[in-house]
Amino acid sequence: METTQIKGSESKSKLKRSIIDTDIHGRAPREGMLKYMPRIYREQIATFGWRLPAQGGMFLNGGTNGSMQDVNIPEDSQNEDTYLDYLRKNHLDTYNIEYGILTGGGYEVHAAVDTDFAAAVCSAHNDYYLERYLSRESRLKGSILIPKQDPILSAKEIDRVGSNPDMIQVVVSNGAQKPYGHRFYHPIYEACVRHNLPFTIHVSMEGIGINNPTTGAGHVTSYIEYRAARAHIMAAHMASFIFEGVFEKFPTLRVVMMEAGMLWIAPLIWRLDQDWKALRHQTPWVKEPPSEYYRKFFRITSQPLELPPTTDMIKPMMNAIHCETNLMFASDFPHWDFDSPTHAFPKLEENMWDRIFYQNAAELYGLPQRKASKGVALA
Amino acid sequence: METTQIKGSESKSKLKRSIIDTDIHGRAPREGMLKYMPRIYREQIATFGWRLPAQGGMFLNGGTNGSMQDVNIPEDSQNEDTYLDYLRKNHLDTYNIEYGILTGGGYEVHAAVDTDFAAAVCSAHNDYYLERYLSRESRLKGSILIPKQDPILSAKEIDRVGSNPDMIQVVVSNGAQKPYGHRFYHPIYEACVRHNLPFTIHVSMEGIGINNPTTGAGHVTSYIEYRAARAHIMAAHMASFIFEGVFEKFPTLRVVMMEAGMLWIAPLIWRLDQDWKALRHQTPWVKEPPSEYYRKFFRITSQPLELPPTTDMIKPMMNAIHCETNLMFASDFPHWDFDSPTHAFPKLEENMWDRIFYQNAAELYGLPQRKASKGVALA
């Protein structure tokens, strides 16, 4: 079955070389998730609805409700393969995707006031993905949604599904109540390390529900400001992980930052390195320059791909943030600002292409190579 | 008097060419400010103290309580010239400073809950500076402290002292309740434009008192995280000014960003330009790429000077943020991370040096050249 699918895909793919796409969005319709929820919550939902804040309740988005204008996803929550079939034909096959990582949906739980309800939704979401996507399509891998409001419940959820080899990371929203390096969250990292799962922060739910206002100056007005601010929340998380000493405590933990761009990292680590030289006595557990922590412990994904406006700056900036080892390709399918594997990037040297489109993700997630396609010329 | 001072300074200065220093901190001891306060507040202060949050109440700083270790400023609030004399001998004369811009102190008012009290402190602060510094030393220029919690009261204060030629800008803290582009603040910009005064944001009071937590992920733990986050609050203000259409409404307004570094601006304007291409229909009043708004309407100061770690990146990054027109030298005297005019920068081409150390500030603030030193070789 798997082999047939993959062989089938190769004949019509736009890419000869298979790739790993680290950010694909599945769908878990709420009516489809109901059967995985405890009865008490099914009854409450029937009476009061789903008490979850909405990302779309505050800001405009792009495309049509956040997806590509020409995406016409069939909605049929009764047919378990409807969206999966769509995904296979319109993305996995098209771009010769050897592994596609499903990163949610479902981030509304990360802004909910009712932590127990959030925990139940996370479990339902994870069960839905395991049954509807991961057990049906071996190219897809999943992300464990956790109720980050309660690190102990989060650790329990990681322990519940984290040994399933189809679950390859833990995912939370970028919007937060505290920067993620804070000791409050450490039980989550214990569980990540126990199951050898990266901790992934995906943009979403900034400034919404229980999370802090989007910027250190408060809420912003427009979607374009919102998108810019998301990078700076990631920056706060990155500095927090480094200066709270998380990697001294959990040296095998890896942190992935998804969909917040990448160029902001260069001036951030330059600044932190400079200040660290003068102020390191205040955080003596930080033993190396902050840029070294970034290089060793963080991975970033490419979409929405940011590049400097002048060609001569592209290579130096990509080198400054160690793209060759730290950047992983992401398409963000099917969202409006989808990056095509064939068009988003400028021409890259073959080794750089191979690292970004395959090896960096394969190494991080421990994904065995399935096709003998390494070194095959690019499309 | 003035001429004598300036001639005196030249003989022993480390710099042959006179400069403008855009960020020097004066001192307004609270006991010295008392006589400028209304009687009702003098009585309340005698009973309850000064109800102002403290910057030093949350984070460590550098040096000794934020100042250089070897600074030994004489404290004598009864002698009106004590700190001024110190400043003349240890900074203005030493570095051949033709104009030095005093930027406060006093930012605690920007985190105070009692807006009327904050307004009274601002007026006292401005009167103290006018009498104790600006009327005594013609090299010094002042900044109008305003109670930004109330834009109407702020406009009144700007109207009260804004026509004094020694007051050359309006200053607020970076820590804020709303990003500064918000329509709430527009009466302040009306007043700035009326008096042809730049609006200056100086780092301080982030996450303190009535202001928002320091990052969009909440409060941070260490001073080094705090310093990094300050740049990202500035970024939120910059995006807010552009996308709220402030410069369409007030085309002669100029905004100065002080002490938050500069390299973060490059990826910010690259990102905003990229997103604006796709999303400009959502903010149709923004008629040019965001980078153009930055170039035309914003000015930045240099201290704490950030540079890329590799020499080959310095020039491209400085060009990317238009240092030749938009960067002004600042020393931040007497703070611990003081940048010396003779040592902080790498070797610059003469025109770039002249723009950064003199012309950009002279043009922005409308400061007439006093010395026939243009073109004199550098020390």
Side-chain angles (χ1 to χ4, degrees):
Chain A
M1 172 77 170
E2 177 196 325
T3 317
T4 313
Q5 281 168 9
I6 292 174
K7 281 197 176 158
S9 76
E10 281 179 348
S11 60
K12 54 181 170 177
S13 172
K14 293 179 181 174
L15 274 175
K16 287 182 191 159
R17 169 74 166 93
S18 68
I19 65 171
I20 299 176
D21 182 351
T22 59
D23 188 13
I24 300 175
H25 291 279
R27 301 212 161 180
R30 287 179 175 175
E31 54 197 302
M33 283 205 298
L34 266 183
K35 79 170 196 189
Y36 304 97
M37 294 286 287
R39 179 176 153 187
I40 177 70
Y41 288 127
R42 289 205 305 274
E43 289 174 2
Q44 288 180 5
I45 289 165
T47 312
F48 297 105
W50 292 74
R51 288 159 300 119
L52 294 172
Q55 173 82 57
M58 281 182 75
F59 292 97
L60 289 166
N61 204 307
T64 301
N65 202 21
S67 287
M68 287 183 272
Q69 301 274 11
D70 58 353
V71 158
N72 194 9
I73 299 166
E75 290 289 358
D76 179 0
S77 63
Q78 299 314 305
N79 181 345
E80 304 210 335
D81 283 342
T82 303
Y83 183 72
L84 180 55
D85 282 342
Y86 181 86
L87 192 57
R88 285 171 173 149
K89 289 192 190 97
N90 292 277
H91 189 58
L92 300 183
D93 293 350
T94 312
Y95 294 108
N96 196 5
I97 291 169
E98 187 169 326
Y99 292 102
I101 298 173
L102 293 176
T103 48
Y107 305 126
E108 296 87 356
V109 294
H110 295 137
V113 284
D114 184 338
T115 301
D116 293 312
F117 180 63
V121 177
C122 286
S123 295
H125 193 271
N126 293 331
D127 289 342
Y128 182 99
Y129 268 72
L130 281 165
E131 193 171 324
R132 300 286 190 105
Y133 292 106
L134 307 180
S135 69
R136 286 180 156 75
E137 171 54 65
S138 67
R139 284 176 287 186
L140 294 175
K141 295 291 173 187
S143 309
I144 303 172
L145 199 66
I146 55 168
K148 72 184 175 76
Q149 298 90 326
D150 184 334
I152 304 299
L153 284 185
S154 295
K156 276 176 93 168
E157 182 64 12
I158 296 168
D159 286 337
R160 189 179 73 87
V161 294
S163 56
N164 188 316
D166 285 335
M167 288 297 202
I168 59 159
Q169 67 189 347
V170 169
V171 71
V172 297
S173 73
N174 189 30
Q177 293 180 280
K178 292 173 188 289
Y180 285 130
H182 196 281
R183 59 193 67 183
F184 170 78
Y185 296 110
H186 291 196
I188 297 175
Y189 309 136
E190 279 177 34
C192 285
V193 163
R194 200 152 57 228
H195 296 277
N196 199 25
L197 296 168
F199 179 79
T200 294
I201 309 168
H202 189 293
V203 296
S204 197
M205 306 314 290
E206 298 88 350
I208 294 175
I210 59 168
N211 294 327
N212 273 278
T214 317
T215 78
H219 288 284
V220 298
T221 301
S222 60
Y223 178 53
I224 194 166
E225 290 172 73
Y226 191 63
R227 284 168 66 89
R230 285 170 151 178
H232 299 143
I233 297 177
M234 283 291 183
H237 291 313
M238 187 179 284
S240 175
F241 271 106
I242 296 168
F243 289 98
E244 295 275 5
V246 173
F247 304 112
E248 310 301 328
K249 200 166 163 188
F250 306 105
T252 62
L253 182 68
R254 296 295 179 271
V255 177
V256 183
M257 297 193 154
M258 285 202 173
E259 206 178 319
M262 58 184 196
L263 297 178
W264 55 270
I265 294 170
L268 177 71
I269 58 181
W270 297 340
R271 171 72 177 249
L272 291 177
D273 278 7
Q274 179 175 313
D275 281 0
W276 176 78
K277 280 180 200 156
L279 297 166
R280 55 186 292 190
H281 60 284
Q282 296 187 358
T283 54
W285 48 88
V286 179
K287 299 198 192 312
E288 293 184 278
S291 59
E292 274 299 287
Y293 286 86
Y294 160 69
R295 190 181 65 76
K296 289 181 185 169
F297 298 105
F298 290 87
R299 297 295 179 267
I300 53 176
T301 62
S302 60
Q303 185 280 339
L305 187 64
E306 286 177 319
L307 291 173
T310 54
T311 320
D312 59 315
M313 291 283 276
I314 292 178
K315 206 168 171 178
M317 287 301 288
M318 286 184 74
N319 289 340
I321 57 176
H322 305 293
C323 286
E324 191 165 339
T325 50
N326 289 42
L327 181 65
M328 308 187 292
F329 171 73
S331 73
D332 198 30
F333 183 87
H335 290 163
W336 72 276
D337 48 355
F338 166 77
D339 276 348
S340 155
T342 51
H343 288 80
F345 274 85
K347 189 159 173 54
L348 299 171
E349 285 164 25
E350 184 155 329
N351 183 57
M352 181 71 101
W353 192 96
D354 187 51
R355 299 293 313 176
I356 293 171
F357 279 83
Y358 196 97
Q359 302 302 340
N360 290 339
E363 285 171 14
L364 176 72
Y365 294 117
L367 298 171
Q369 189 153 326
R370 287 173 171 171
K371 300 185 179 185
S373 55
K374 194 176 173 188
V376 168
L378 309 184
Chain B
M1 173 76 172
E2 177 196 324
T3 316
T4 313
Q5 282 169 7
I6 292 174
K7 281 199 175 157
S9 75
E10 280 179 350
S11 60
K12 53 182 171 176
S13 172
K14 293 179 181 172
L15 274 174
K16 287 182 191 158
R17 168 76 166 92
S18 70
I19 64 170
I20 298 176
D21 182 351
T22 60
D23 188 12
I24 299 174
H25 290 280
R27 302 213 158 177
R30 288 180 174 173
E31 54 196 302
M33 281 205 298
L34 266 183
K35 78 170 195 188
Y36 304 96
M37 294 286 286
R39 179 175 155 188
I40 176 69
Y41 288 127
R42 288 205 305 275
E43 289 174 3
Q44 288 181 6
I45 289 164
T47 312
F48 297 104
W50 292 74
R51 288 159 300 119
L52 294 172
Q55 173 82 56
M58 283 181 73
F59 293 96
L60 288 167
N61 204 308
T64 300
N65 200 22
S67 288
M68 288 182 273
Q69 302 273 13
D70 57 352
V71 158
N72 195 8
I73 298 168
E75 292 288 358
D76 179 1
S77 63
Q78 299 314 306
N79 180 347
E80 305 210 335
D81 283 342
T82 302
Y83 183 71
L84 180 56
D85 283 342
Y86 180 85
L87 193 56
R88 284 171 174 148
K89 289 193 191 95
N90 292 278
H91 190 56
L92 301 182
D93 294 349
T94 312
Y95 294 108
N96 196 6
I97 291 170
E98 187 170 327
Y99 292 102
I101 298 174
L102 293 176
T103 50
Y107 305 125
E108 297 87 356
V109 293
H110 296 136
V113 284
D114 185 338
T115 301
D116 293 311
F117 180 62
V121 177
C122 286
S123 294
H125 194 271
N126 294 331
D127 289 340
Y128 182 98
Y129 269 72
L130 281 165
E131 193 170 325
R132 298 287 190 105
Y133 291 107
L134 307 180
S135 68
R136 287 181 155 73
E137 171 53 67
S138 68
R139 283 176 289 186
L140 293 175
K141 295 291 173 185
S143 308
I144 303 172
L145 199 66
I146 55 168
K148 71 184 175 75
Q149 298 90 326
D150 184 334
I152 305 297
L153 285 185
S154 294
K156 275 176 93 168
E157 182 64 12
I158 296 169
D159 285 337
R160 189 178 74 86
V161 293
S163 57
N164 188 316
D166 285 336
M167 288 297 201
I168 59 159
Q169 67 189 348
V170 168
V171 70
V172 298
S173 73
N174 189 30
Q177 293 180 282
K178 293 173 184 293
Y180 286 129
H182 195 280
R183 61 193 66 183
F184 170 78
Y185 297 109
H186 291 197
I188 297 175
Y189 309 136
E190 279 177 34
C192 286
V193 163
R194 201 153 55 231
H195 295 277
N196 199 25
L197 296 168
F199 179 78
T200 295
I201 309 168
H202 189 293
V203 297
S204 195
M205 306 314 289
E206 297 88 350
I208 295 174
I210 60 168
N211 294 328
N212 273 277
T214 317
T215 78
H219 288 284
V220 299
T221 301
S222 59
Y223 177 54
I224 193 166
E225 291 172 73
Y226 191 63
R227 285 168 66 89
R230 287 170 150 179
H232 299 143
I233 298 178
M234 283 290 184
H237 292 313
M238 187 179 283
S240 176
F241 271 106
I242 296 169
F243 289 98
E244 297 273 6
V246 173
F247 303 113
E248 309 302 328
K249 202 167 161 186
F250 305 106
T252 61
L253 182 69
R254 295 295 179 272
V255 177
V256 183
M257 297 192 154
M258 283 201 174
E259 205 175 320
M262 58 184 197
L263 297 178
W264 55 270
I265 294 170
L268 177 71
I269 58 180
W270 297 340
R271 171 70 176 252
L272 292 178
D273 277 7
Q274 180 175 312
D275 282 0
W276 176 78
K277 281 180 200 157
L279 298 166
R280 54 184 292 189
H281 60 284
Q282 296 186 358
T283 53
W285 48 87
V286 179
K287 298 196 192 316
E288 294 184 278
S291 60
E292 275 298 287
Y293 285 86
Y294 160 69
R295 191 181 63 77
K296 288 180 185 171
F297 298 105
F298 289 87
R299 297 295 180 267
I300 53 175
T301 62
S302 60
Q303 185 280 337
L305 187 65
E306 288 177 317
L307 291 174
T310 54
T311 320
D312 59 316
M313 291 284 276
I314 292 178
K315 207 168 170 179
M317 288 302 288
M318 286 185 74
N319 288 340
I321 56 174
H322 305 293
C323 285
E324 191 166 341
T325 49
N326 290 42
L327 180 66
M328 307 186 293
F329 171 73
S331 72
D332 198 30
F333 183 87
H335 290 163
W336 72 275
D337 48 355
F338 167 76
D339 276 348
S340 155
T342 50
H343 287 81
F345 275 85
K347 190 160 173 53
L348 299 172
E349 287 164 23
E350 185 154 329
N351 183 58
M352 181 72 104
W353 192 95
D354 187 50
R355 299 292 313 175
I356 293 171
F357 279 83
Y358 196 97
Q359 302 302 341
N360 290 339
E363 286 170 14
L364 176 73
Y365 294 116
L367 299 171
Q369 188 154 327
R370 287 174 170 169
K371 298 187 182 186
S373 55
K374 195 176 173 187
V376 168
L378 309 183

